[in-house]
Amino acid sequence: MAEIIQRDGTWIFDGDTLRLTPGRDKNVSLLRRTLGELTVPLGALAGVSLEQGRKAGRLRLRLRDGADPLLQATGGKLAEPNDPYQLTVEADRLGVAEYFVDEVRGALLLDQVPAGPVDGYLVPGPAVPLSASAGDGSASFDGERVRLEWNWKTEDAKSAAGSRTLALADITAVEWRPAAGLENGCLRFTVRGADTKAPPKYDPNSVELWGFKRDPLMALVAAAVQARLPHPAAAVDDPPAEEPDGAAALGPGPEADHDALLRRLRELGELHRQGVLTDEEFALAKQAVLKRL
């Protein structure tokens, strides 16, 4: 068991699962407070690191691609204060943070968790029902339908048809994008048979966002919908190739074992390059694999 408690939040690791609870400090973002506690299985992690500064440090989790619907829906565009996988560590707790990193890295090594992408979500999306208001409208999702409603700031061309109800079965994609510079952001739903290139300002399936405090809450709606859509990786997987006659009857055999060990060596090398494994951990793990070869 490893635990670190900070004003920014509390992270607990029990060997199999990490529980990330946001703190109650006024500097904790609205998105993190609304999202609440996250339960992250060890298998969803690609790595963990501690970045040390002069006055404080930062714990950072790196998830495997495709493991979290929130990261999938936002495309890596969440600003650091809204990232639930970062924790600010006060200077006098850096030693505890180092121990936390060692414990997680050791478990990743022991369980031989690969760092590559996954084809199914391993972190649950935000609980439903939920709703958010920002920009030119509000969005709510009950697990089966998305409802978009407009406010007095909505363009007449978009609001004239009234509120929108989108069935989950008709939604093929969802995207959240923050406002950046002079470009407004959006929460956009792609609906089957109604593709459009219209700006969010005029798109009846989009909420336009202007860069205000509540904009990130729309990302939670996007994540809840994303979690219930087919996983992007699973959707594009090719069907398995047919095996030559008799291949199935041969079983894994020594060649398959040899290939698996070679793949493990490549995975360890990647973990080492990414900083997940220290030089010593990499050397020990590599030696163990080579002995089996």
Side-chain angles (χ1 to χ4, degrees):
M1 171 78 72
E3 179 182 65
I4 181 166
I5 302 173
Q6 295 290 276
R7 288 180 297 178
D8 193 36
T10 298
W11 286 12
I12 299 174
F13 177 56
D14 64 7
D16 297 310
T17 304
L18 292 101
R19 286 194 290 121
L20 317 179
T21 306
R24 298 182 179 181
D25 188 77
K26 63 180 181 180
N27 293 323
V28 176
S29 75
L30 181 60
L31 180 145
R32 289 178 58 207
R33 294 200 306 268
T34 305
L35 180 60
E37 182 178 282
L38 268 178
T39 300
V40 183
L42 182 66
L45 289 187
V48 58
S49 61
L50 173 62
E51 302 166 359
Q52 298 193 28
R54 290 184 177 179
K55 296 183 178 180
R58 185 180 299 275
L59 272 174
R60 191 188 301 268
L61 297 179
R62 185 167 55 82
L63 269 65
R64 299 170 66 187
D65 289 344
D68 180 18
L70 176 62
L71 299 183
Q72 185 73 38
T74 57
K77 298 182 178 69
L78 279 177
E80 280 198 356
N82 295 315
D83 186 345
Y85 301 111
Q86 298 186 32
L87 181 73
T88 300
V89 180
E90 296 159 24
D92 62 348
R93 304 298 286 172
L94 289 175
V96 177
E98 289 176 348
Y99 172 75
F100 189 94
V101 168
D102 289 342
E103 287 293 295
V104 175
R105 284 181 174 174
L108 287 170
L109 180 62
L110 185 63
D111 285 14
Q112 297 187 1
V113 177
V118 298
D119 59 5
Y121 296 119
L122 302 178
V123 179
V128 294
L130 80 165
S131 61
S133 297
D136 68 351
S138 61
S140 58
F141 180 53
D142 63 4
E144 297 181 356
R145 284 170 292 274
V146 172
R147 184 170 178 81
L148 304 177
E149 299 182 83
W150 314 117
N151 56 39
W152 63 274
K153 295 170 283 189
T154 310
E155 278 290 321
D156 292 342
K158 185 161 79 172
S159 64
S163 59
R164 301 273 293 169
T165 300
L166 309 176
L168 180 64
D170 294 330
I171 298 173
T172 59
V174 59
E175 173 198 17
W176 175 86
R177 187 177 72 245
L182 298 177
E183 183 180 357
N184 291 334
C186 70
L187 168 67
R188 186 193 292 273
F189 298 94
T190 301
V191 179
R192 186 175 289 104
D195 291 349
T196 178
K197 295 183 179 180
K201 184 175 184 178
Y202 302 108
D203 180 5
N205 297 323
S206 298
V207 176
E208 186 180 36
L209 304 175
W210 299 321
F212 297 132
K213 181 179 179 181
R214 299 185 69 83
D215 285 9
L217 295 184
M218 288 292 187
L220 299 183
V221 178
V225 174
Q226 184 73 61
R228 290 162 176 81
L229 294 178
H231 193 280
V236 299
D237 277 350
D238 294 326
E242 292 186 5
E243 293 181 332
D245 290 344
L250 292 175
E255 293 83 2
D257 290 341
H258 185 270
D259 290 344
L261 292 172
L262 290 178
R263 284 196 300 272
R264 181 57 186 156
L265 280 175
R266 288 194 290 270
E267 290 169 0
L268 289 171
E270 183 180 354
L271 291 171
H272 182 236
R273 287 192 296 273
Q274 293 170 350
V276 176
L277 299 180
T278 64
D279 292 343
E280 182 180 356
E281 290 169 339
F282 173 65
L284 290 173
K286 181 180 177 181
Q287 184 180 15
V289 175
L290 290 175
K291 282 183 179 179
R292 294 175 64 185
L293 278 172

